Amino acid sequence: MAYNGNPQILDDEDLQEETLVNDYQEQINYEGGSELERGDSLGGPADLRAQLEAAAAPLEYQASLETKFASYDNYCSLFHYILNSDGPVDIEQPSYYWAWDVIDEFIYQFESFCRYRNRVARTNPGDEEAQVLKENPNTWGCYSVLNVLYSLIQRSQINEQLAAQKRNEDPTAVAGDYGSRPIYRMLGYFSIIGLLRVHCLLGDFSLALKTLDDIEMNKKAMFARVMAAHLNTYYYVGFSYMMLRRYADAVRMFSHILVYVSRTKNFQKGGNQAGFDAIAKKTEQMYALIAICVSFAPTRLDDTIHTVLREKYGDKFNRLQRGGPESLPVYRELFQSACPKFISPTPPDFDNPSLNIDPVDHHTEIFMDEVKNTLFNPTVKSYLKLYSTMDLKKLSSFLDVEPEKLRSWLLVNKQRSRQVRWTEGGLLDGEVVNGSELDYAIEGDLIHISEAKQGRRLVDWYLRNLARAY
């Protein structure tokens, strides 16, 4: 942990870290308990307790199509009862972990079903299962899932409560009858994290970040008490930043959670094997993503993270940093292994299989277009660092490309180097900074090179004058 010169802040952060570790140990004990013990912690009618237990339990990987349909119907019935009963449901507060498990499993089944349906439509559109899927387009529909999450948030008034907390006001004053009940408050809270995930899976990265406007990304947040929620939140926020080309913010998010995971690794093996495997897989993905981000926007990393990157990727990491055509397959491989399992917002076309594409392939191509725009960035920088002015044609001869093609590339790359970097406020807020250590301007066939600090002043001047113009 970096020392910032304030011993009180350092002590407070260590205390928060210790609290999170204790919470994580408590979670492991919870996960290690029997189903009976977990069920007894819930109050209310026996049949409702059974539904709540079932909602949090993972569906078998090889579950039949009939079982998947039945699971969807059970979720619809449960959420309808919770949201539309005459007044709030009278049930004791579930644990933090149960509330997260319900929302997490609900979204996981939705994601898995969408990918399964898309795969069937592309590969076996004439099968009997394909016909059943075609006749039931609304089962596990995107609208239904989003409606549940938004309804839980609205019923619980959780955004209003979080906003009141940020203003140092009493959240119970805006909670209402439903939001004052723990079951609604916790389901509403984790529905916000669920929306972040769903919007990211659908490819709407700006809206994904917007959903967290009222949640503060720090160790005091409620999601930080649940390891899986903590990990997933930072993963999807970091990935959304990366896809919006805000690489510094993405690195900040990935670094925060990876350092925390490294500090709690001694406790992770005390939980169930599935939970440990999920943590290991997610951290592996984030190391791949942080390698990509650093190749786009070089920055200093925590020593622990830098060491792991060198150990895990070695030559691949060097190829990313060198750029050029040989880096393309590495970018593709790392992205496809680390990105979310994207889904389509609409059911596939079973009558025209050729029209259905794999959403992961679609987003991979979008990402690779961005990679190609920055492919020769390291090579060009190595030349520009040697000069204060340089002839465009001379540089194009070094790179063996047409001068006008190089001009277009330089202009695109200059625009790409302007990043929004978070300082305060919502996750989408921030100020424009130069993400490169060099800046340049093109006048005719001359390239004028300057340090990024000077370029930053030029950007600030431009933005001030643009504001005055309007």
Side-chain angles (χ1 to χ4, degrees), residues 337-362:
S337 67
C339 71
K341 294 181 178 179
F342 293 106
I343 56 178
S344 172
T346 57
D349 188 340
F350 287 91
D351 296 325
N352 299 284
S354 61
L355 299 179
N356 303 314
I357 60 172
D358 187 336
V360 171
D361 291 341
H362 172 68

Side-chain angles (χ1 to χ4, degrees), residues 63-130:
S64 66
L65 187 59
E66 182 181 1
T67 303
K68 294 175 182 177
F69 274 65
S71 181
Y72 172 74
D73 291 338
N74 291 335
Y75 274 115
C76 288
S77 175
L78 174 63
F79 288 128
H80 177 80
Y81 179 77
I82 291 174
L83 290 166
N84 300 314
S85 294
D86 294 332
V89 172
D90 185 19
I91 187 171
E92 294 177 11
Q93 176 185 359
S95 69
Y96 277 79
Y97 322 120
W98 172 87
W100 163 256
D101 285 347
V102 169
I103 299 300
D104 179 55
E105 181 63 21
F106 177 60
I107 296 173
Y108 174 76
Q109 290 191 31
F110 162 62
E111 169 196 324
S112 300
F113 186 88
C114 288
R115 288 189 56 75
Y116 167 77
R117 180 172 57 188
N118 185 280
R119 185 170 63 254
V120 170
R122 284 185 290 111
T123 59
N124 299 297
D127 282 6
E128 183 179 340
E129 283 195 345

Side-chain angles (χ1 to χ4, degrees), residues 41-318:
S41 67
L42 303 175
D47 59 339
L48 180 58
R49 289 205 305 272
Q51 287 189 59
L52 295 174
E53 286 285 329
L59 192 68
E60 290 184 9
Y61 180 76
Q62 298 292 343
S64 66
L65 187 59
E66 182 181 1
T67 303
K68 294 175 182 177
F69 274 65
S71 181
Y72 172 74
D73 291 338
N74 291 335
Y75 274 115
C76 288
S77 175
L78 174 63
F79 288 128
H80 177 80
Y81 179 77
I82 291 174
L83 290 166
N84 300 314
S85 294
D86 294 332
V89 172
D90 185 19
I91 187 171
E92 294 177 11
Q93 176 185 359
S95 69
Y96 277 79
Y97 322 120
W98 172 87
W100 163 256
D101 285 347
V102 169
I103 299 300
D104 179 55
E105 181 63 21
F106 177 60
I107 296 173
Y108 174 76
Q109 290 191 31
F110 162 62
E111 169 196 324
S112 300
F113 186 88
C114 288
R115 288 189 56 75
Y116 167 77
R117 180 172 57 188
N118 185 280
R119 185 170 63 254
V120 170
R122 284 185 290 111
T123 59
N124 299 297
D127 282 6
E128 183 179 340
E129 283 195 345
Q131 186 62 33
V132 175
L133 291 168
K134 181 181 177 181
E135 293 171 355
N136 294 273
N138 295 325
T139 300
W140 285 113
C142 185
Y143 174 80
S144 300
V145 172
L146 289 173
N147 185 47
V148 165
L149 297 175
Y150 277 111
S151 295
L152 287 169
I153 292 169
Q154 186 177 20
R155 267 284 191 231
S156 63
Q157 296 288 97
I158 189 63
N159 278 328
E160 291 78 1
Q161 293 188 61
L162 292 170
Q165 286 180 335
K166 291 173 76 172
R167 299 191 300 266
N168 294 319
E169 298 175 1
D170 183 9
T172 59
V174 294
D177 291 341
Y178 288 85
S180 60
R181 304 295 180 96
I183 185 173
Y184 288 92
R185 186 168 64 250
M186 297 312 302
L187 285 174
Y189 181 87
F190 285 119
S191 289
I192 297 176
I193 308 300
L195 275 180
L196 162 72
R197 177 177 170 184
V198 171
H199 287 311
C200 193
L201 290 171
L202 294 172
D204 194 336
F205 307 109
S206 294
L207 186 54
L209 295 177
K210 183 69 176 174
T211 61
L212 266 63
D213 270 356
D214 294 309
I215 290 182
E216 296 188 79
M217 297 291 292
N218 56 41
K219 296 169 185 173
K220 295 181 180 179
M222 286 196 288
F223 69 76
R225 290 191 59 187
V226 184
M227 185 61 168
H230 198 183
L231 205 62
N232 276 272
T233 300
Y234 276 91
Y235 168 79
Y236 286 107
V237 169
F239 186 84
S240 296
Y241 271 141
M242 189 188 87
M243 296 301 281
L244 294 173
R245 299 198 300 274
R246 295 178 59 167
Y247 303 115
D249 288 330
V251 169
R252 179 169 56 88
M253 291 295 165
F254 293 139
S255 296
H256 168 91
I257 192 63
L258 288 173
V259 169
Y260 170 66
V261 170
S262 70
R263 295 188 65 174
T264 59
K265 62 183 178 182
N266 291 333
F267 302 105
Q268 291 163 21
K269 294 182 180 180
N272 61 56
Q273 185 61 39
F276 174 71
D277 291 344
I279 292 172
K281 180 180 179 181
K282 194 63 71 180
T283 54
E284 193 82 17
Q285 288 177 306
M286 286 191 281
Y287 276 116
L289 294 175
I290 208 170
I292 290 172
C293 291
V294 171
S295 71
F296 285 140
T299 186
R300 181 176 175 80
L301 296 172
D302 179 271
D303 290 342
T304 303
I305 295 174
H306 189 266
T307 300
V308 173
L309 282 180
R310 289 292 180 188
E311 290 176 352
K312 283 182 177 293
Y313 299 113
D315 181 59
K316 290 181 180 179
F317 191 46
N318 291 331

Side-chain angles (χ1 to χ4, degrees), residues 419-461:
Q419 290 185 42
V420 178
R421 184 172 296 179
W422 183 90
T423 52
E424 60 181 356
L427 293 177
L428 285 173
D429 297 336
E431 62 176 18
V432 177
V433 299
N434 193 328
S436 172
E437 68 272 21
L438 291 177
D439 195 30
Y440 53 84
I442 303 175
E443 182 183 12
D445 286 339
L446 271 185
I447 306 171
H448 300 279
I449 302 106
S450 63
E451 293 182 0
K453 186 176 181 181
Q454 180 182 351
R456 167 74 178 280
R457 288 198 295 269
L458 291 173
V459 173
D460 291 342
W461 175 87

